[in-house]
Amino acid sequence: MTEEAREFHEKRIKSKILAKIKRHLYHWEPIRYDAFQSMVYLTARFAPEYSALCRVFKEIKMNEPDFKPLSLFDSGSGVGTTAWAANQTWPGSIKEHYLVDISPQMNTLARLLMQDGDEDKETMCFPGVFFRQFHPALDQLTYDLVVSSYSLMEQSTQDNRLEMISSLWKKTDQYLVIIENGTNAGFQAIMEARDKVLKEGNGYVVAPCPHDLRCPKTLDESKPTPCNFPVCYKPMMTKTKEAKMSERISYVVLKKGSRPDGSRWPRMVSEPKKRTRHVHCDLCCKDGNVTHLPVTRSKHGRELYRCVRTSEWGDLVPAIQTDQSESVTKSHDSDPVTTCTSEHNNTNFEHVEHVEVT
């Protein structure tokens, strides 16, 4: 083989090897938002993220109706969606908004929205708004409500994500909210954050889990199933008024302190199957298991049956989990698998949000 032929074959082999490496290696690069991309992000993502945040903030309001945050810390604030959703949930309550986003164009657009589109306007629609590009160096300052929405997956490595979670938890005085897309990757990031906070201690899960145990959907590692919930929203740029869309999110709400005593209602973790005179639902219960519960009027009472019938995926079910012997004692003809009894006398599930859940 001549020297030219040898060099030709070496280059050919090298190009094939590099092509295979590029297909199997992930080259992470951060997303850089300029002015145009920020406007595109506002148009495409403000509505779904706003709906998701309002949905999750409602869980805090249900858990603690008297909670009124005075300060908000938003990591990865983007166009300020969290501030709008928080002030919609607790109007007039928040006096300090600390919004952090690495993109100056995003911060400029978020400021312009709060100025009603007038750059010369000195005051904004919310009090005490501060825009920063980086987290504060000191962790001594704490905030009533700390939020990270769709920001964990922007970190390059798992170590960076865990470091970010640890920093946010140190800044949390009461509630920490983390939201990601309801994909396998997003759910895995949520589980990393949940496990990290619970391992550090001095905190518990408020939602969606009614327990602090391992998520039952992660027990079967061969078939990973994300725990996610649908969120409906209306896109900003639509031709028809009736146009609605839906996407799934994974989230966790954590609170500082020890879990208070009291009953914890299970949560629907899948779409309930509503059949004639019975409803099949999967409930995540406080014992750390997902229980399949077929609810009928004759076995569980009219109140619980009507409540489950009108409930949706992600709702709390006003029922308590009892052991098998207690269920059989209360009703001899009850199904041993259905270990739930009604704890709510009101037939309208919408009234659950006005009941204090301890």
Side-chain angles (χ1 to χ4, degrees):
M1 180 182 295
T2 63
E3 186 69 19
E4 293 181 356
R6 186 176 64 82
E7 292 181 358
F8 173 77
H9 285 291
E10 286 181 354
K11 289 182 179 180
R12 187 177 179 182
I13 294 172
K14 184 178 180 180
S15 62
K16 288 184 178 180
I17 293 175
L18 291 176
K20 288 186 177 181
I21 291 176
K22 289 180 180 180
R23 285 198 299 267
H24 294 283
L25 289 181
Y26 173 64
H27 298 279
W28 182 89
E29 291 184 2
I31 301 175
R32 304 296 183 185
Y33 289 97
D34 55 19
F36 175 75
Q37 290 174 331
S38 299
M39 288 295 297
V40 173
Y41 188 91
L42 169 67
T43 305
R45 295 301 305 165
F46 186 91
E49 292 184 9
Y50 178 83
S51 299
L53 287 160
C54 289
R55 164 72 173 81
V56 176
F57 288 161
K58 183 180 177 182
E59 296 291 336
I60 299 178
K61 202 168 185 179
M62 290 171 58
N63 178 73
E64 191 175 349
D66 296 332
F67 172 70
K68 296 184 183 298
L70 297 178
S71 55
L72 167 68
F73 184 92
D74 185 13
S75 177
S77 56
V79 293
T81 314
T82 299
W84 289 95
N87 281 276
Q88 174 66 25
T89 307
W90 298 283
S93 173
I94 304 176
K95 306 303 180 184
E96 180 184 0
H97 304 73
Y98 199 103
L99 311 182
V100 180
D101 197 285
I102 196 172
S103 171
Q105 287 78 13
M106 280 283 197
N107 290 333
T108 300
L109 182 57
R111 181 188 298 273
L112 187 62
L113 290 174
M114 296 182 188
Q115 292 173 323
D116 298 328
D118 186 0
E119 296 180 354
D120 298 328
K121 191 175 182 179
E122 296 182 358
T123 60
M124 287 182 275
C125 56
F126 306 133
V129 180
F130 304 96
F131 292 97
R132 298 291 185 270
Q133 287 186 260
F134 304 99
H135 286 200
L138 301 177
D139 293 326
Q140 282 77 7
L141 296 176
T142 58
Y143 302 82
D144 293 339
L145 180 63
V146 178
V147 181
S148 170
S149 60
Y150 304 93
S151 299
L152 284 183
M153 298 304 295
E154 295 181 2
Q155 303 300 312
S156 58
T157 64
Q158 182 187 41
D159 292 338
N160 290 345
R161 289 196 297 270
L162 295 178
E163 182 180 355
M164 175 180 171
I165 291 300
S166 180
S167 176
L168 293 178
W169 185 239
K170 292 177 182 178
K171 293 178 174 62
T172 303
D173 185 61
Q174 296 199 48
Y175 285 96
L176 172 62
V177 175
I178 305 172
I179 305 175
E180 286 296 333
N181 289 310
T183 60
N184 284 326
F187 174 63
Q188 183 62 36
I190 293 293
M191 288 297 98
E192 290 175 0
R194 180 182 184 271
D195 295 341
K196 175 68 174 177
V197 170
L198 294 179
K199 184 177 180 181
E200 291 187 0
N202 191 29
Y204 63 94
V205 180
V206 174
C209 321
H211 59 83
D212 297 332
L213 305 174
R214 181 177 177 180
C215 176
K217 290 200 172 187
T218 63
L219 296 178
D220 189 0
E221 298 181 357
S222 61
K223 297 180 180 179
T225 303
C227 182
N228 52 29
F229 305 92
V231 174
C232 295
Y233 64 95
K234 182 179 178 181
M236 296 181 65
M237 305 295 289
T238 56
K239 296 181 179 179
T240 60
K241 296 182 179 180
E242 294 78 14
K244 290 185 179 180
M245 299 183 69
S246 176
E247 70 176 33
R248 296 182 183 181
I249 64 168
S250 294
Y251 73 95
V252 65
V253 180
L254 300 142
K255 186 178 182 183
K256 280 284 181 74
S258 302
R259 182 184 293 277
D261 298 329
S263 61
R264 284 169 275 162
W265 292 347
R267 187 181 300 275
M268 281 192 182
V269 292
S270 64
E271 184 72 26
K273 299 176 177 61
K274 301 175 183 179
R275 304 291 186 256
T276 304
R277 297 182 180 179
H278 69 280
V279 180
H280 289 270
C281 56
D282 294 324
L283 302 178
C284 183
C285 302
K286 65 179 182 180
D287 62 356
N289 295 315
V290 173
T291 302
H292 178 74
L293 180 67
V295 180
T296 63
R297 186 194 301 265
S298 60
K299 291 183 180 181
H300 304 93
R302 184 182 66 177
E303 292 80 7
L304 182 59
Y305 172 74
R306 293 184 64 181
C307 176
V308 173
R309 191 84 186 178
T310 57
S311 297
E312 301 294 340
W313 185 356
D315 288 341
L316 290 171
V317 178
I320 56 173
Q321 188 179 21
T322 60
D323 56 25
Q324 189 174 15
S325 61
E326 185 178 355
S327 295
V328 174
T329 302
K330 288 185 177 182
S331 177
H332 295 287
D333 59 347
S334 62
D335 188 344
V337 178
T338 58
T339 60
C340 288
T341 57
S342 176
E343 195 197 29
H344 193 52
N345 294 326
N346 200 317
T347 57
N348 190 349
F349 186 70
E350 293 181 356
H351 290 291
V352 171
E353 63 177 289
H354 301 295
V355 179
E356 183 175 359
V357 183
T358 57

